[in-house]
Amino acid sequence: MKITYTLWPLPVFGLLGLFVFCSFTVLEGPAAEMVGPSGTIVFPHAGDIYKYNLAEQTIALIAERKGRQGPFFSPDGTWFTTNNWSGSNEGVAVWSLAEATIQKEFYLKNTLISNDKGVKVASGGKLFSGIINTPAGENPDFVVMDERGVIKWRMDGDGIRTKGHAWDANQQLYLTGEVLRGKTKGTKFLIKIPDWRNPQIEVIRTFSCAYLDLPDELAVSPDGN
């Protein structure tokens, strides 16, 4: 399994990604996260969400004030999420891509998602990942939540500081980050967690860069390759 990530401003998405970047100056955020299957592009502008159909060359407004973060597609291309819209920094909307409508919403009580990276949705639309914000000077935890926003698994941010995260079609997690304690303290990494319920970390590669220079926008292609 290989993972792709975005080196902004040019997304690792071939000619389609380049077309998106050149054609839509209103795009906010990495375009690799906005391209769905079958030529569907969903993108935010000024907090609103639009759907663009490549075949018909049409743009449609599908929601107002729901897109401060996202959209983030599930690896199976069925769902996407947006969150932290105006008036509710804790809100998460789960969308059906085919219908371009909100299927469910939940709220992360008394928490914020860190660094405007958003809530990522797994295939099936029932599991989500995010980086929980913390007071200044503390390291945020990485969490897996269910469709009600209940935290099912938490990775201690004082041990491993997460920078970017993504799901694949088999509900495996990919993370970049830094080890903060132990024998490997200071190591920057790209890791895979095959099963968050019984978390065993597989190291894909390490980096010699600074933490701030780690890839933070990760996306697995819809076919999983």
Side-chain angles (χ1 to χ4, degrees), residues 49-207:
I49 300 293
Y50 295 83
K51 182 178 179 180
Y52 176 66
N53 187 300
L54 278 172
E56 299 176 1
Q57 297 284 294
T58 57
I59 297 175
L61 174 67
I62 60 176
E64 296 181 352
R65 312 307 298 164
K66 292 287 185 182
R68 180 181 167 213
Q69 296 176 12
F72 303 105
F73 287 100
S74 63
D76 60 4
T78 304
W79 306 89
F80 67 90
T81 57
T82 60
N83 65 287
N84 287 20
W85 52 83
S86 177
S88 176
N89 286 336
E90 302 153 354
V92 178
V94 185
W95 300 73
S96 162
L97 180 61
E99 300 174 13
T101 56
I102 294 174
Q103 301 296 300
K104 62 189 88 169
E105 296 184 60
F106 63 83
Y107 295 86
L108 307 177
K109 186 177 181 181
N110 298 322
T111 64
L112 293 173
I113 297 300
S114 175
N115 299 326
D116 284 350
K117 294 306 173 190
V119 171
K120 305 294 180 68
V121 55
S123 297
K126 295 183 180 296
L127 288 173
F128 307 86
S129 59
I131 302 172
I132 298 298
N133 218 355
T134 56
E138 298 183 15
N139 296 311
D141 294 346
F142 174 81
V143 298
V144 173
M145 300 165 283
D146 66 14
E147 57 190 323
R148 296 176 305 235
V150 176
I151 294 175
K152 309 299 289 185
W153 177 63
R154 182 188 294 262
M155 186 166 67
D156 183 7
D158 288 331
I160 294 180
R161 179 168 54 166
T162 303
K163 183 77 180 293
H165 56 103
W167 298 86
D168 71 10
N170 297 315
Q171 296 190 351
Q172 301 179 113
L173 281 165
Y174 296 82
L175 310 174
T176 56
E178 179 183 15
V179 178
L180 297 182
R181 63 187 176 200
K183 294 182 179 179
T184 58
K185 182 179 179 180
T187 301
K188 283 78 173 179
F189 58 76
L190 169 63
I191 61 173
K192 172 183 174 182
I193 301 178
D195 184 0
W196 60 269
R197 298 171 185 84
N198 182 28
Q200 298 293 322
I201 293 174
E202 297 181 12
V203 178
I204 298 174
R205 64 163 293 178
T206 58
F207 300 91

